[in-house]
């Protein structure tokens, strides 16, 4: 762990969820690719386009199923302190965000079908300017963190 890096990681189950999401998007791209190949054959368009479509699909599938989830999980970190929330995330460009507790307006948890299947939830932290998300936390951890952040935000607001 590098100096200044937030301490907490998201759940390792996020890897499974992101890999499944990648597989679903790859299946959608595969159907689009197959449709394109059929149209190329029907309309007698240049056949050299077919290998390009296949290679792009293979690269996209590898990236979204194997490469991206591991790197995303490795980079995602967060830490909640009394006065701020620190987030670190990104694939190639690592973003570090500090959210002052005084700016937090409300905190939500959410679950899609995949997150629910793996007993995970995401936390959304709303400020006046934007919404920040901590993805794929264990359900209990997400609920506790939501209450904890909400309590700290109320204390910060009362201190004004």
């Amino acid at each position: 762990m590098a100096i200044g890096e937030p301490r907490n990681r998201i759940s390792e189950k996020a890897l499974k969820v992101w890999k499944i999401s990648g597989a679903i998007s790859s299946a959608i791209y595969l159907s689009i690719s197959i449709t394109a190949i059929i149209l190329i054959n029907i309309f007698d368009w240049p056949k050299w386009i077919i290998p390009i479509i296949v290679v792009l699909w293979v690269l996209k599938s590898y990236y979204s199923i194997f490469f991206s989830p591991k790197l995303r999980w490795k980079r995602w970190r967060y830490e909640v302190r009394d006065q701020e929330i620190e987030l670190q995330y990104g694939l190639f460009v690592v973003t570090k965000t500090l959210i002052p507790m005084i700016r937090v307006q409300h905190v939500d948890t959410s679950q899609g079908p995949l997150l629910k299947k793996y007993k995970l939830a995401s936390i959304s932290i709303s400020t006046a300017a934007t919404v920040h998300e901590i993805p794929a936390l264990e359900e209990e951890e997400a609920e506790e963190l939501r209450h904890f952040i909400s309590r700290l935000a109320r204390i910060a607001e009362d201190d004004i």
Side-chain angles (χ1 to χ4, degrees), residues 103-123:
R103 300 283 183 224
V104 174
Q105 293 183 339
H106 65 275
V107 186
D108 299 318
T109 55
S110 61
Q111 284 182 308
L114 282 176
L115 289 177
K116 190 160 188 74
K117 178 179 177 10
Y118 289 97
K119 298 184 183 334
L120 298 173
S122 295
I123 293 181

Side-chain angles (χ1 to χ4, degrees), residues 46-159:
K47 303 289 189 244
W48 58 266
I49 298 172
I50 295 173
I52 293 172
I53 291 172
V54 171
V55 167
L56 288 175
W57 177 77
V58 168
L59 290 174
K60 189 259 182 261
S61 296
Y62 176 80
Y63 176 81
S64 63
I65 297 171
F66 300 106
F67 182 77
S68 173
K70 282 183 187 176
L71 194 55
R72 253 176 100 183
W73 181 80
K74 201 174 177 182
R75 300 261 201 245
W76 240 113
R77 293 178 173 275
Y78 69 94
E79 188 168 348
V80 178
R81 300 183 194 100
D82 289 345
Q83 300 296 316
E84 64 198 11
I85 302 165
E86 184 175 5
L87 307 177
Q88 175 183 297
Y89 55 91
L91 293 176
F92 302 109
V93 176
V94 177
T95 302
K96 291 184 175 188
T97 304
L98 282 176
I99 307 163
M101 208 52 82
I102 198 160
R103 300 283 183 224
V104 174
Q105 293 183 339
H106 65 275
V107 186
D108 299 318
T109 55
S110 61
Q111 284 182 308
L114 282 176
L115 289 177
K116 190 160 188 74
K117 178 179 177 10
Y118 289 97
K119 298 184 183 334
L120 298 173
S122 295
I123 293 181
S124 298
I125 304 159
S126 299
T127 64
T130 189
V131 176
H132 303 277
E133 183 180 62
I134 303 174
L137 297 172
E138 298 288 334
E139 283 178 335
E140 302 81 29
E141 181 184 2
E143 198 60 31
E144 288 172 13
L145 196 56
R146 181 175 70 92
H147 288 294
F148 183 64
I149 292 171
S150 178
R151 202 168 40 252
L152 288 175
R154 278 194 302 273
I155 291 170
E157 189 177 281
D158 291 344
D159 289 345

Side-chain angles (χ1 to χ4, degrees), residues 19-61:
K19 285 180 180 186
I20 292 169
S21 293
I24 291 169
S25 75
S26 289
I28 292 168
Y29 280 106
L30 178 61
S31 65
I32 292 169
S33 298
I34 290 171
T35 303
I37 291 169
I38 290 170
L39 291 173
I40 288 168
N41 285 315
I42 289 174
F43 294 108
D44 202 30
W45 291 335
K47 303 289 189 244
W48 58 266
I49 298 172
I50 295 173
I52 293 172
I53 291 172
V54 171
V55 167
L56 288 175
W57 177 77
V58 168
L59 290 174
K60 189 259 182 261
S61 296

